[in-house]
Amino acid sequence: MEAGSDDIQALIGLLARLPGLGPRSARRIVLQLIRKRGGQMAQLATLIERVAMNSRECLSCGNITDRDICAICTDPARANGEICVVQDVADLWALERGGAFRGRYHVLGGTLSALDEIGPEDLRIPELIDRITRDSMTEVILALNATVEGQTTAHYIADALDQTAVTITGLAQGVPIGGELDYLDDGTISAALRARRRI
Amino acid sequence: MEAGSDDIQALIGLLARLPGLGPRSARRIVLQLIRKRGGQMAQLATLIERVAMNSRECLSCGNITDRDICAICTDPARANGEICVVQDVADLWALERGGAFRGRYHVLGGTLSALDEIGPEDLRIPELIDRITRDSMTEVILALNATVEGQTTAHYIADALDQTAVTITGLAQGVPIGGELDYLDDGTISAALRARRRI
Ligand SMILES: [Zn+2]
Ligand SMILES: [Zn+2]
């Protein structure tokens, strides 16, 4: 038997399924929210509602935005010729925190996987090829995880762009073998980006 | 620079301050919420609002409840003579999951601490003494953490009850030295409760 109201149990259950949380951390969070409920809970509920209402994928790059086209895609100060391809929005955020890249992005939304039956069409890869061709991009930076899946995906994209004039680069050393971008410190990511090499 | 709307950044900031979370896990959670926003985010916002609106401390025992007096305090099937004293609501929940205790509870809301200037009046200890005397309790189980602060608090309560007829017990072996109740598996807590010893 578990104490607390049905709502509290339902809230713990929902939180426990979020990434990085489990039943124990979910219980701790709910108890702290109840203790400090004055401002914190109302603010949290309001923000979650507003984010749910307003957030969607940028129609051009796949970044999370509250408009059709995101602020990065519409920023006139950013370089049009360079496009940085990432697996997830979390990786885009990590690169932006580093501040070393001033071009455009393309978020794949995952990696190719024969096992999970994830093909190029599931990953916004056709949209990427379209953008590169249509916007006459000069450089594509494949900033994908240094995992087998990430590198398989990078090679697939490089092959698909083989007949175009675009220069294809990848992040330089600095990304450890098997490492995931979002786990690295911002300086390491920036250094790897600056030392990027032709694939 | 960080990508995402101001609302998203504010939501990440709020989540990152919750127990067990940091900026990275907060970002992962927000991205997952946005991806699955169909049901999950609306449900989460609604539950947080409802819990914030309805949750308060039981006026008798300090448990979290949606009424003045909680379901455990008003349950006629539970033993009136036994009262189990815990530090936090999380510990009460842990004991209830074990299911071995069928008496009443008293939640202190912390432990005595000279350093943090937390005295008996800050911990619902006067209310505990009142309840034990007024309701003619026969046994007080001090189910406090096996930490220095927990045991100091247990001894303070035992001393304060010295002149009464109540039997004072503590949890038996099974709680490791320095261990916190909420980290133990439910079976260990139940075993320690069943083998409780007189202090
Ligand atoms: Zn965009
Ligand atoms: Zn109660």
Side-chain angles (χ1 to χ4, degrees), chain A residues 70-86:
Chain A
C70 78
I72 293 177
C73 283
T74 52
D75 184 349
R78 298 186 73 117
N80 274 321
E82 296 171 20
I83 187 163
C84 183
V85 179
V86 293

Side-chain angles (χ1 to χ4, degrees), chain A residues 1 7 28 50 96 183, chain B residues 1 7 24 50 96 182:
Chain A
M1 200 194 86
D7 277 349
R28 292 255 154 215
R50 286 222 306 255
E96 283 296 291
Y183 279 87
Chain B
M1 201 192 89
D7 278 349
R24 180 169 193 283
R50 287 223 304 256
E96 282 297 289
D182 194 30

Side-chain angles (χ1 to χ4, degrees), chain A residues 58 60-63 69-70 73:
Chain A
C58 170
S60 171
C61 75
N63 187 16
I69 306 290
C70 78
C73 283

Side-chain angles (χ1 to χ4, degrees), chain A residues 1-3 7 19 21 24 27-28 31-32 37 41 45 48-50 52 55 90 93 96-97 182-183, chain B residues 1-3 7 19 21 24 27-28 31-32 37 41 45 48 50 52 55 90 93 96-97 182-183:
Chain A
M1 200 194 86
E2 174 92 16
D7 277 349
L21 296 183
R24 178 166 194 286
R27 287 195 294 269
R28 292 255 154 215
L31 284 172
Q32 164 155 336
R37 73 170 172 287
M41 278 188 107
I48 290 173
E49 268 185 317
R50 286 222 306 255
S55 298
W93 289 356
E96 283 296 291
R97 284 196 303 278
D182 194 30
Y183 279 87
Chain B
M1 201 192 89
E2 173 91 17
D7 278 349
L21 295 183
R24 180 169 193 283
R27 286 195 295 268
R28 292 254 156 218
L31 284 174
Q32 164 155 335
R37 74 170 172 286
M41 279 189 106
I48 289 173
R50 287 223 304 256
S55 298
W93 289 357
E96 282 297 289
R97 283 197 302 278
D182 194 30
Y183 278 88

